[in-house]
Amino acid sequence: MDLFLIRHAIAEERREGLIDADRELTDRGRSRFAAVVESLGQSGFRFDRVYHSPWLRAVQTAQMLDPITDGQLVSAAGLARAPDPEFFGLLRGDPVACVGHEPWMSDALSLLTTGDPHGPWLRFKKGGVAWLRGLPHPGGMELRALMPPRGTAPNG
């Protein structure tokens, strides 16, 4: 399976009275992530399915992937908390994208590549993408590419 772990794009800052789950993408976040989507599409990437956290900024980021998605956008509460190995075993499609939050996306990357969810070796920038290949269980995947939010996607 090809699995793309994606941190949501730049969202509005936390502030008093705003529920964290209700923070929206900023114009800058939308603009920068639109370039990521364009780069992925130009590199030939398309997703069978996009799973996303139910938090607004992740939903909006997932919606931006729609032009390169052949299947459904699926809300998944498992992407709004620390990674659960069982969650990744339930993913359907190939390739699949998962849109979520830090520090959980980095923890998921560590879990899937090393078997340890607490590896300190990587942190996602907002709008960053990690491309993994293998079996979606602890230690069963290899990192194929890490794409910063303004980087160019590798060829599919």
Side-chain angles (χ1 to χ4, degrees):
M1 165 187 273
D2 284 308
L3 173 62
F4 291 74
L5 300 178
I6 302 171
R7 183 178 179 191
H8 66 79
I10 299 169
E12 59 188 320
E13 295 294 324
R14 291 181 175 96
R15 66 178 186 273
E16 189 175 330
L18 177 63
I19 298 169
D20 189 37
D22 293 340
R23 291 171 42 218
E24 294 188 60
L25 296 184
T26 63
D27 290 342
R28 181 173 179 232
R30 287 180 187 281
S31 175
R32 287 180 72 177
F33 196 69
V36 170
V37 173
E38 182 178 352
S39 180
L40 287 168
Q42 288 175 347
S43 295
F45 292 105
R46 295 197 62 79
F47 301 115
D48 280 347
R49 191 168 289 185
V50 174
Y51 294 86
H52 58 81
S53 157
W55 295 3
L56 183 57
R57 58 194 179 274
V59 172
Q60 292 173 328
T61 302
Q63 289 170 339
M64 292 183 69
L65 293 165
D66 193 57
I68 58 171
T69 301
D70 295 323
Q72 300 174 308
L73 302 180
V74 180
S75 182
L79 290 168
R81 61 177 176 252
D84 176 355
E86 291 180 19
F87 170 80
F88 293 100
L90 299 174
L91 298 177
R92 298 293 172 254
D94 190 11
V96 169
C98 288
V99 181
H101 313 271
E102 275 298 284
W104 306 315
M105 296 312 289
S106 292
D107 292 347
L109 175 59
S110 182
L111 174 71
L112 293 168
T113 58
T114 71
D116 177 4
H118 304 294
W121 57 282
L122 173 85
R123 291 290 172 238
F124 276 76
K125 290 190 175 202
K126 292 173 184 168
V129 179
W131 174 21
L132 307 175
R133 181 175 283 165
L135 299 175
H137 60 75
M141 303 195 88
E142 69 175 359
L143 179 62
R144 304 279 298 168
L146 181 62
M147 298 165 260
R150 287 192 269 183
T152 302
N155 291 329

